[in-house]
């Protein structure tokens, strides 16, 4: 009770001055002051393990020292902070490093576009260019997809609460079943039938857009063979394949791009969140050269030149010069999988289902509200973890990729205690 | 020729690796390295006067010392860089300062929303909430409006090149004539007639959205009485009035909000660009409390918590604690007006027309291409200035508000020389 | 009172079994049994003068003897009643007569299309082909236009009650001001400015669609010079001009096509209503040969081969073999104009305004509801006349073109009595 | 060759004067002059068996004597031909008979609406009222549905050639798999999953619209249990069920409504084609009283009062006073089924598949073009029969319901000969 009163006082500014749209400050009612690596501290000095990583924007953890040093140095030298798409040294260096460290070794040939510095903006740019080069208007997305909150991206997003927030009907898109959407039914056959049949009512689309692992949609990981099949459908029907790797990319699933193990080469790739390295707004759209048919400034934005983000982004790329980082993620992912399996087995009352891939995993819990209660309890006990899924029914584990074994174990321990306290 | 070759080498990275969508690096083919106040320097050490101000995102000039110090201090203390809409000290302080320094003294009562950190995102959020609270789908915008590049904002944008980039028809909007759009015809009478007449084919809209000075549209400044009339129409028909102050706000026209001298109180205000103080991505949407009917997270975004921007933004607000800053802008605006008038009179070959208001002015030049040539020439001579308008026919002056008299005069001198060299 | 009870009993079937959408049976609560020329009789033997002409579908009056004879003969000979677009003799004869009697003498070269047999269907076909041949999606229509009730036609209709009946937002259209829509403002300049300015927010349209006299919209007759200007705008911008002559065509304004006196040649013309001669469902779409780019069956409909209608239609065309019919209409139109002028002058309380052209005229009355009351009173006194306009504020005179002078005078006398009885 | 030349001369008028949209006069290049029962004769006196029945508009055959007599009598008595929705005796009698003979015995309670006299118009009215009463905009339709050619109906139609004819993207609709659309996959589970899951991307629709047997779509007959399941889904989710019985209704499948054997009670039923008895344009929309929330005239149309059609329609209803007619249809349907089965077995080269239900059956033939060639050959041999399906791959048998056994057998014999001549 004392805490509640304290909490109220603490959050007063937000409650009084900010719009009711605020969300995280409701579930985690404190003021955060400091963060380093996989830990955060609030104004009361309480420490938290981070299983959230800025919703995937902090794959490299909080306040990486080298990034900090480089930012400070750049600021101290009066480097351009804001530059739209003018030439600057940080932009040049990012372009070169991204090409050398990420694209070339993976035998990928993409033009790099800087849209506005947010996930929804890279998606909007991808949809635009796909429609332009094909001359078609329809885009196929999948059930429980999340691609962003501006009207273009929202049109390919599945969640009905978010969609109805548009206040207008959302057009030019068709929602198809994601991998394993309906039990015992093959979503690929469906998709193919609709495209083959000229009487299906579904026009040949400009593009198919998908997340290989649906983060907001409930940690649904598409099987690699499903991804391959979608790619061949795209090839067969001359449809552009757009991978929205905003959350699943930048190493989240164990490889830089989430689609690497499937062996596919999307026509367009959307990156944001952790591409900026330290959590600063940044986004890029990768486009196969033959589809890079933009006119100058045909898609633009004031903040597409965030130089501090470029500097941290370039530093972050150094993690990918060898295989080590990737292997470390996969190792931790394996440990996380086993821990999830153990929890599910140990607490059959949860009726839990393991979800996800890499360091992007979750536990789906059918009992309405329970997943949320567990996260709330975990917060009290010092763990930052949130839910996802259409009914907030999935506990979503998204630790920073740099988390140490100790932190992973500590976080899992808090989670288990939280579960125990609620089901007993 | 030597320069051309050098230029080619210099810009190679951008030409080879970046998408053809790049624009400013074409018109200003150099690599910028340093910036301070109203000046920039490129890698060759060449200095430029800034009459562009990051397209309005750098009203407070480049690299303000106090902002730099505060950013460095925060970084050094491991403050949270990225926080979505979690509580953090910089977010709390920004909210409090904005309320005390900006809203309260102007007798404005708004809830503050943090959408994604870009202009188009604040516009998208404004359109959504207006549609939600009214239950209507149509939004009226004006000829030559520019509100952003994502589908929602693009739908209320006038420019046909940008609109056609959508690749889909843009719906749920009606374009009405801006102030003084058709000579000798009164656009208010038109607007009113369409709204009064139930047979007009234009549905009662959720909102009317406008810029008081259209920056991208050609520096068209609406008369203050026109703004008042639009406000009364909105009141009469129960339509929400949205002012997009992304470019004209934050002091650009001489007052913090561009609409202050008109004495109106919009229902929703969109701010971005210079709100972040030092050029870091940030945006806010101001909503009258009775219309702040968002559900938690109904509009969200990964980068709505850019703490470095909050810190610089709060520091920037200190400029508005007294009237001094505002008066200084107005004084410089007056000088700029006179200089523009003088140029127009001195060079009748330009057939120039003065446009704009405050430090947001321009010269419209009818001869196709000439405005662009003048800007290209000015760049060579050390002045950064760009065009706007549907046919890029307006030279657009957007110097940082903190520009010193010396810089203003130097820039104007370069401009005049550039004109002279081209028309003789 | 006795009548009311009787009325109730009489209309019981309709009230109990029919949908609430029924309209005319409410305003004229009787059962009609017989009709000839310009007269109708109800089951009680009461006679009515017809100033309504089936909303323009009975220009040639009721039950023309020759048409009756030809229909009966065809039926008796087991001629095909229903034939889609198969070859039949009546269809062949109609095509030939329409070409010889209507098109050739007017130096008009059109391909004749048979869409479904209703006004809205010819409009839908016109919009489709215009969009197909131009590859553009927008169509410009005018304030207070009425083009039909199916979604395509409704999208170019102005009336908000009818539009909102769609239950969905109506897209791909822009509403522009009709001739003399706003006092002292020139709607042509306005239209031209929107088309010229690439920043206007209005895309280059596939077509402009208009009625030369807006029947449902309030009997607004465009000036002939306005029509000419619209045609030149269409030529200048390569936009198709569609004239919806469903109500104003077939002689209604004194010439076969309403646009003849303006000397224009629309790209597409929509005809229905009286084209079927005796009131049977029929419609045709006239398309300049260069725009007749339909694939076989690309627009079709079960009832596009109504042979009884073809027979009556062909017979009706014989009226146009000489100038006599046209001159007689114009003479009656002149008398009608004078009578309207006289009524307006004699009853200044009406604050009446003369509207329309040819035998398509009206009196606009500002006092809410009065026009409707006058029509209700006229019905009781034996005159069938209805209102139009966005607020049902116009008494609409639409007598059969074959009305005799005696009938015209008798009808006008009833109208005047009705007015007198209501304003005194 | 002689025939070809003759044909050319014969069809000259159509080729020269009519739009290229004409279709049936291409496949059946002759001029028809007379028709009676199940037979037609052309101008050369050649007779044809009718397996087409005006695309389903001539269920009662050509030129029924009693209908002819009643039409002639009415015409001779100067009865109103055209009456919009004014009260007339034929309209009153139709309403009463339809209620007594059709609705009451089937325990169906519907308000009867007269939209414009075409199939597409009844569908447009159904979609409008469903959207109005639910306040939702989406309508779910099915793969290979055909509901009409105006924009509203076309939006729920599957065929891509017809859809692209719109020239605009078609919105506010979602296409779901019809019964047995994908082999071994259950379309009901799929539909249900999309509706249950709030993240599916498919909004709760206003209505589900379907044909129980898809005529244009390829004679696909939904299983009765599938129809029942769709009805329960509608009930569960509070969605309106619209049955488009334009082609399958009026006895075509053996009962007056095609959905009777499924034991369902749709919320809205669309009827047209054979409702007019003798092939005259007519349509009605049946609406459950609780959903009959139209305002007067909210949907209207000039030709909604086709009195000749009402008279023939009322006469046609007399067929349904006893069970005899229904039993006769079912008997003939059985014979047709057996004949089809026999043909498929006898000519394995066809790789034929039986389709349909009642007197609405077909043979799907996989070899591209073969179905069309068979129909062309049949025409030469005196049988009128057409194809349907997305690739015109189905021979579609739609004889008049009144066809005599002799006619059925003769027609089938011609068909078999045609097949034989083509596959040998």
């Amino acid at each position: 009770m004392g805490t509640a009163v304290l909490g109220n006082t603490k959050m007063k500014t937000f409650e009084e001055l900010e719009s009711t749209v605020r969300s995280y400050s409701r579930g985690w009612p404190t003021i955060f002051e400091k963060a380093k690596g996989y830990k955060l501290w609030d104004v009361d000095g309480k420490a938290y393990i981070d299983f959230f990583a800025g919703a995937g924007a902090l794959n490299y953890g909080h306040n990486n020292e080298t990034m900090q040093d480089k930012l400070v140095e750049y600021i101290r030298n009066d480097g351009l902070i804001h530059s739209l798409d003018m030439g600057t040294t940080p932009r040049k260096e990012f372009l070169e490093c991204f090409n050398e460290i990420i694209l070339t070794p993976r035998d990928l040939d993409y033009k790099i576009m800087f849209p506005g510095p947010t996930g929804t903006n890279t998606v909007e740019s991808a949809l635009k260019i796909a429609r332009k080069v094909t001359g078609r208007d329809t885009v196929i997305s999948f059930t429980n997809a999340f691609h962003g909150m501006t009207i273009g991206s929202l049109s390919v997003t599945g969640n009905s609460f978010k969609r109805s927030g548009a206040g207008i009907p959302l057009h030019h898109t068709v929602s198809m079943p994601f991998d394993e959407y309906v039990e015992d039914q093959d979503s690929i056959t469906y998709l193919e039938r609709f495209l083959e049949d000229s009487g299906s009512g579904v026009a040949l689309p400009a593009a198919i857009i998908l997340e290989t692992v649906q983060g907001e949609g409930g940690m649904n990981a598409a099987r690699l063979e499903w991804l391959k099949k979608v790619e061949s459908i795209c090839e067969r029907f001359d449809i552009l394949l757009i991978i929205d790797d905003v959350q699943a990319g930048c190493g989240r699933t164990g490889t830089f791009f989430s689609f690497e193990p499937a062996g596919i080469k999307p026509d367009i790739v959307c990156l944001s969140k952790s591409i900026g390295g330290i959590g600063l707004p940044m986004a890029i759209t990768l486009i196969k050269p033959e589809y890079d048919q933009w006119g100058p400034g045909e898609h633009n934005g004031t903040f597409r030149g965030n130089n501090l983000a470029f500097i941290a982004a370039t530093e972050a790329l150094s993690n990918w010069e060898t295989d080590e980082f990737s292997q470390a993620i996969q190792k931790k992912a394996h440990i996380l999988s086993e821990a999830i399996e153990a929890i599910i087995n140990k607490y059959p009352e949860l009726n839990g289902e393991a979800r996800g891939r890499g360091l992007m995993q979750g536990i789906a819990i059918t009992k309405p509200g329970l997943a949320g209660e567990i996260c709330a309890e975990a917060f009290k006990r010092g763990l930052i973890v949130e839910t996802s899924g259409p009914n907030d029914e999935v506990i979503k584990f998204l630790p920073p990729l740099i988390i140490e074994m100790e932190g992973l174990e500590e976080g899992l321990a808090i989670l288990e205690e939280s579960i125990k306290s609620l089901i007993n």
Side-chain angles (χ1 to χ4, degrees), chain A:
Chain A
M1 207 166 94
T3 326
V5 169
L6 189 66
N8 276 348
T9 310
K10 209 193 290 175
M11 304 310 282
K12 201 167 153 263
T13 295
F14 307 107
E15 284 158 12
E16 286 182 6
L17 302 181
E18 205 179 333
S19 161
T20 58
V21 82
R22 71 188 179 284
S23 53
Y24 286 110
S25 61
R26 297 170 189 264
W28 301 328
T30 192
I31 300 179
F32 293 95
E33 198 165 55
K34 251 183 86 163
K36 197 79 182 177
Y38 64 87
K39 283 196 180 160
L40 298 97
W41 292 266
D42 70 12
V43 284
D44 303 321
K46 184 176 168 189
Y48 299 85
I49 303 279
D50 189 356
F51 267 28
F52 171 61
L58 292 162
N59 283 1
Y60 305 100
H62 297 269
N63 284 310
N64 173 285
E65 300 270 339
T66 319
M67 294 183 196
Q68 286 179 313
D69 291 346
K70 293 200 168 174
L71 292 190
V72 167
E73 189 197 358
Y74 187 75
I75 293 170
R76 283 294 176 223
N77 284 336
D78 291 330
L80 269 81
I81 298 289
H82 175 278
S83 62
L84 296 124
D85 65 357
M86 294 149 71
T88 65
T89 311
R91 182 145 153 274
K92 181 165 177 283
E93 285 173 0
F94 172 78
L95 283 167
E96 287 163 356
C97 283
F98 192 82
N99 191 49
E100 281 159 37
I101 301 174
I102 303 298
L103 298 182
T104 308
R106 287 166 181 78
D107 193 25
L108 292 169
D109 187 12
Y110 290 121
K111 292 287 176 178
I112 301 164
M113 173 188 182
F114 296 94
T118 63
T120 197
N121 211 307
T122 168
V123 169
E124 294 259 354
S125 70
L127 299 178
K128 276 186 178 179
I129 195 65
R131 284 166 167 147
K132 177 173 180 172
V133 302
T134 59
R136 306 176 203 138
D137 72 282
T138 302
V139 170
I140 286 181
S141 58
F142 291 96
T143 51
N144 289 301
F146 178 84
H147 297 291
M149 297 296 276
T150 52
I151 296 300
S153 307
L154 199 52
S155 299
V156 285
T157 290
N159 189 285
S160 64
F161 168 65
K162 292 191 171 68
R163 286 176 77 86
S164 71
I168 46 171
L170 299 170
H171 299 310
H172 309 291
T173 57
V174 171
S175 184
M176 284 281 164
F178 194 68
D179 191 23
E180 301 184 302
Y181 186 60
V182 178
E183 218 174 327
D184 296 329
Q185 304 216 12
D186 177 14
S187 68
I188 285 290
T189 317
Y190 249 113
L191 174 61
E192 213 157 12
R193 181 83 173 89
F194 268 91
L195 292 172
E196 272 170 4
D197 177 13
S198 69
S200 71
V202 171
L204 187 66
I208 293 181
I209 185 168
L210 65 89
E211 305 144 283
T212 65
V213 185
Q214 298 182 320
E216 299 307 303
M219 312 307 270
N220 312 305
R223 291 165 302 157
L224 302 182
E225 61 266 34
W226 187 84
L227 296 172
K228 270 184 208 157
K229 282 181 193 161
V230 173
E231 188 189 49
S232 13
I233 286 176
C234 285
E235 278 164 10
R236 177 176 164 208
F237 292 99
D238 194 25
I239 298 165
L240 269 60
L241 176 59
I242 304 171
I243 299 291
D244 175 347
D245 235 10
V246 168
Q247 187 160 130
C250 298
R252 178 50 62 187
T253 65
T255 49
F256 184 81
F257 294 111
S258 70
F259 53 79
E260 290 177 42
I264 63 173
K265 294 195 175 177
D267 299 298
I268 303 178
V269 181
C270 298
L271 289 175
S272 183
K273 293 202 185 253
S274 284
I275 190 68
I278 198 167
L280 287 169
M282 180 175 166
I284 58 175
T285 311
L286 305 176
I287 307 169
K288 280 193 180 162
E290 60 268 38
Y291 301 127
D292 181 37
Q293 299 173 14
W294 290 109
E298 196 171 355
H299 185 87
N300 60 30
T302 296
F303 291 116
R304 82 207 111 130
N306 183 357
N307 288 280
L308 296 187
F310 295 162
I311 289 165
T314 303
E315 173 55 28
L317 293 178
S318 65
N319 284 293
W320 299 94
E321 286 174 324
T322 70
D323 265 1
E324 262 175 68
F325 189 54
S326 177
Q327 281 163 11
I329 300 166
Q330 289 171 33
K331 195 177 148 197
K332 283 177 259 189
H334 186 68
I335 289 164
L336 181 57
S337 299
E338 291 191 325
I340 285 172
E341 214 52 60
I343 286 169
I344 289 173
N345 292 334
K346 195 161 164 194
Y347 303 97
E349 309 91 316
L350 289 179
N351 199 13
E353 187 192 318
R355 295 270 180 89
R357 187 157 72 83
L359 280 180
M360 190 172 183
Q361 299 191 44
I363 305 176
I365 296 175
T366 38
K367 190 178 161 197
L370 183 53
E373 286 165 32
I374 292 169
C375 292
E377 183 62 29
F379 173 73
K380 285 188 204 149
R381 292 167 186 261
L383 176 68
I384 302 282
V385 65
E386 69 162 342
T387 60
S388 78
N391 305 305
D392 295 318
E393 77 283 16
V394 182
I395 304 177
K396 179 184 177 187
F397 305 109
L398 221 64
L401 307 182
I402 52 79
I403 195 167
E404 284 155 41
M405 216 54 82
E406 192 194 327
L408 197 56
E409 283 160 9
E410 197 179 338
L412 287 164
I414 295 177
L415 186 88
E416 192 174 341
E417 284 158 30
S418 307
I419 292 172
K420 238 190 287 186
S421 81
L422 281 161
I423 62 175
N424 289 330

